[in-house]
Amino acid sequence: MDHFPIFLSLKQNRVVVSGGGEAAKAKLRLLLKTSANIEVFAEQPDPEITEWARTKRLSLVQTPLTAERIQGAALFYAANEDASKDHRVAVLARSAGVLVNIVDNLQDSQFITPAIVDRDPVTVAIGTEGTAPVLARAIKADIETRLPSTVGILARLANSFRTKAEVLPFGRKRRAFWSDFFFSVGPRALADGGEEKVKSVLADLLVRHQNSRQTSGHVAFVGSGPGDPELLTLKARKALDTADVVIYDRLVGAPILELARREAILINAGKEGFGASTCQKDINTMIVEHAASGAQVLRLKGGDATVFGRLDEEIEACDAAGISWHIVPGITAASASVAAIGQSMTRRGRNTSVRYLTGHDMRGFADHDWADLAKQDTVAAIYMGKKSARFIQGRLLMHGAERSTPVTIVENASRPDQRILEATLDTLPHILEKSNVTGPALTLYGLAPRATEADLITRTLQEFA
Ligand code: SAH
């Protein structure tokens, strides 16, 4: 991010614009929405600008611009539609120590003006650092349709009630009051009886919330899916919107954590097989302590929380402390991995069952019914199978598995850096070693990526060559 988005107060502040044509007008239309004192320097201003000056919405200066005249302004726009003139006035503004925007010249501008969705005082600013104006316009159009026009009115009315609402304790209780107002009571009252009605329901709502009991804490055990934020369930999204505390695993990536409420406390409880870790007992204690203090705790686990996630231990800790909980399922890494290779977990005539295995458990490499796994057409999703690959290979071969059994490794399934490595039982350890697999990887035993028609043609041609 080269440009940091902020909202700048222009109250009793000056903005200077150099230029009097279309480019200047486009910027002025935006600036006129603010309470800034606008000064336009234009020798031959467009009639619309003259009209704005006549109605005192801005002041128009028709003498040449100097650095002294810019001094002390908050922002400066060079909008002359003439590169050399823009350059000249930009130099003046910089020498006066004022932030400069040159219209249509990202390179030499110190700030850029975003696309705006205006529901004053609610404002959405959209920026792409000049890379994708088409995208910015599409996002703007999308938000315009989604954000009711009444949002601004409700925000303004809420603002005038803000000090009264401070009788509610800061945090969860006050938040619950405002949520109730913005998403339920407020819009209804505005539709029923306009602003007056909203004002009266605000007072009633406050009394109701003052009398409501302190909410008790709760733990949601939520699967965050394999990594792609679009593979979160709607319930997981909602839990991220409401949680006070998010305790997350190493597998939960930044794009998902970014969806948490800004005020939420984020705690990394990362554990790594064979690596540095927060011990499970400490995690249990942390979950229980936060919930016992009344917080809505989101225990966020990669994939599905119920698959190799030590969920039971955390549930038992909650039960022992009398804390309520529920589970929200997620998409497990195995599902994302078969999807990535275009295969199905089960297939008529091939395998009627599928096994989820772990490569290692608390004692080291995990033991399984190898004789059964070695049978033809077995399909298994092996979690945490990187370090144990050679061990698994040895056991399966010893029990009669074919060396040519297909094995596919999917690293970082569903993430932008996803990699698919094709192997056989014979080549599995070798492929893993030479491929430098550093991300989480799932081993699909008994499955090869589905060959596309193009692959098949190439292979056939190679055979005939
Ligand atoms: N609860 C998780 C699994 C936790 S065990 C789930 O349901 O997916 C951790 C193992 O899951 C990793 O060692 C790796 O084998 C697998 N894994 C998790 N996310 C993955 C991903 N995005 N791609 C490939 N494997 C993944």
Side-chain angles (χ1 to χ4, degrees):
M1 202 195 287
D2 284 335
H3 293 78
F4 181 61
I6 54 166
F7 286 94
L8 183 72
S9 170
L10 290 181
K11 216 167 157 181
Q12 288 168 348
N13 244 322
R14 241 166 12 104
V15 176
V16 178
V17 177
S18 168
E22 286 306 319
K25 271 196 327 188
K27 289 291 176 264
L28 286 168
R29 276 195 201 101
L30 285 177
L31 288 166
L32 284 169
K33 290 172 182 284
T34 72
S35 51
N37 297 325
I38 306 167
E39 276 172 16
V40 180
F41 283 78
E43 274 147 42
Q44 289 170 324
D46 179 281
E48 201 172 351
I49 297 179
T50 319
E51 180 59 19
W52 285 330
R54 197 186 61 77
T55 51
K56 305 252 177 317
R57 299 187 63 197
L58 50 78
S59 36
L60 180 60
V61 189
Q62 288 178 281
T63 54
L65 184 62
T66 59
E68 290 76 56
R69 296 298 298 261
I70 308 173
Q71 200 101 45
L75 299 174
F76 179 81
Y77 280 94
N80 297 288
E81 298 163 62
D82 170 337
S84 66
K85 194 159 184 202
D86 278 346
H87 175 73
R88 210 163 358 103
V89 294
V91 169
L92 293 179
R94 281 206 197 96
S95 73
V98 177
L99 286 176
V100 174
N101 173 276
I102 305 177
V103 175
D104 290 335
N105 180 349
L106 180 71
Q107 195 71 26
D108 299 324
S109 292
Q110 289 165 295
F111 70 94
I112 46 182
T113 320
I116 289 170
V117 178
D118 176 15
R119 299 285 186 277
D120 186 43
V122 178
T123 313
V124 184
I126 304 148
T128 63
E129 305 208 320
T131 56
V134 173
L135 192 58
R137 272 197 292 279
I139 297 170
K140 174 178 154 74
D142 187 33
I143 298 176
E144 288 280 5
T145 55
R146 278 206 245 171
L147 217 53
S149 55
T150 51
V151 158
I153 303 173
L154 290 178
R156 194 164 31 77
L157 293 171
N159 195 35
S160 59
F161 201 74
R162 207 150 285 280
T163 38
K164 289 199 184 118
E166 278 167 15
V167 294
L168 293 170
F170 178 76
R172 178 142 209 95
K173 200 138 186 199
R174 206 181 293 167
R175 225 168 35 239
F177 166 76
W178 286 120
S179 277
D180 223 4
F181 172 70
F182 278 114
F183 302 114
S184 149
V185 176
R188 235 181 302 132
L190 195 62
D192 283 357
E195 295 196 19
E196 286 313 308
K197 177 86 189 235
V198 176
K199 284 183 198 157
S200 73
V201 295
L202 263 172
D204 294 345
L205 188 66
L206 184 61
V207 174
R208 215 163 65 214
H209 276 258
Q210 272 178 297
N211 296 335
S212 75
R213 284 190 315 115
Q214 165 80 26
T215 48
S216 48
H218 181 85
V219 180
F221 293 103
V222 178
S224 69
D228 177 353
E230 291 197 27
L231 291 180
L232 280 167
T233 62
L234 286 176
K235 284 198 174 168
R237 280 299 307 256
K238 280 192 197 147
L240 278 160
D241 282 343
T242 53
D244 301 309
V245 179
V246 181
I247 303 175
Y248 64 94
D249 276 355
R250 181 182 56 91
L251 283 172
V252 181
I256 287 175
L257 293 173
E258 251 169 44
L259 301 170
R261 270 189 329 110
R262 187 101 67 97
E263 303 78 24
I265 302 170
L266 298 183
I267 302 170
N268 180 350
K271 277 192 286 156
E272 197 155 354
F274 301 112
S277 62
T278 313
C279 100
Q280 186 63 46
K281 225 171 113 219
D282 291 346
I283 298 175
N284 299 350
T285 310
M286 204 148 58
I287 295 172
V288 165
E289 278 180 0
H290 281 288
S293 73
Q296 299 298 302
V297 177
L298 168 53
R299 175 65 174 118
L300 201 55
K301 289 169 180 280
D304 184 288
T306 72
V307 179
F308 303 125
R310 300 188 72 174
L311 177 63
D312 298 76
E313 294 159 63
E314 296 176 9
I315 288 179
E316 280 154 24
C318 288
D319 282 344
I323 284 163
S324 65
W325 52 268
H326 76 288
I327 302 173
V328 177
I331 293 179
T332 188
S335 301
S337 300
V338 277
I341 64 165
Q343 286 290 14
S344 165
M345 278 286 203
T346 59
R347 180 185 176 143
R348 272 176 96 164
R350 183 189 64 202
N351 64 313
T352 50
S353 71
V354 138
R355 262 166 293 179
Y356 288 7
L357 310 178
T358 173
H360 67 85
D361 60 18
M362 275 139 82
R363 291 183 302 273
F365 295 150
D367 230 335
H368 299 284
D369 183 347
W370 302 108
D372 198 40
L373 280 166
K375 286 183 189 151
Q376 227 189 337
D377 289 341
T378 295
V379 171
I382 307 173
Y383 291 72
M384 295 172 274
K386 272 190 290 187
K387 294 211 169 69
S388 51
R390 201 169 279 284
F391 169 78
I392 292 172
Q393 180 204 41
R395 286 287 187 277
L396 286 168
L397 291 177
M398 199 161 80
H399 287 82
E402 291 285 345
R403 285 191 175 271
S404 59
T405 310
V407 180
T408 309
I409 301 133
V410 184
E411 183 192 11
N412 293 314
S414 87
R415 302 177 186 198
D417 47 1
Q418 169 178 293
R419 260 204 311 171
I420 295 167
L421 308 171
E422 264 190 88
T424 60
L425 186 55
D426 192 31
T427 61
L428 171 67
H430 172 66
I431 298 266
L432 268 174
E433 266 157 40
K434 77 163 198 201
S435 307
N436 186 29
V437 178
T438 50
L442 193 108
T443 307
L444 290 167
Y445 174 70
L447 289 178
R450 186 186 297 272
T452 62
E453 224 159 279
D455 292 338
L456 288 174
I457 293 168
T458 321
R459 275 184 210 170
T460 321
L461 288 175
Q462 277 165 354
E463 273 164 30
F464 279 100

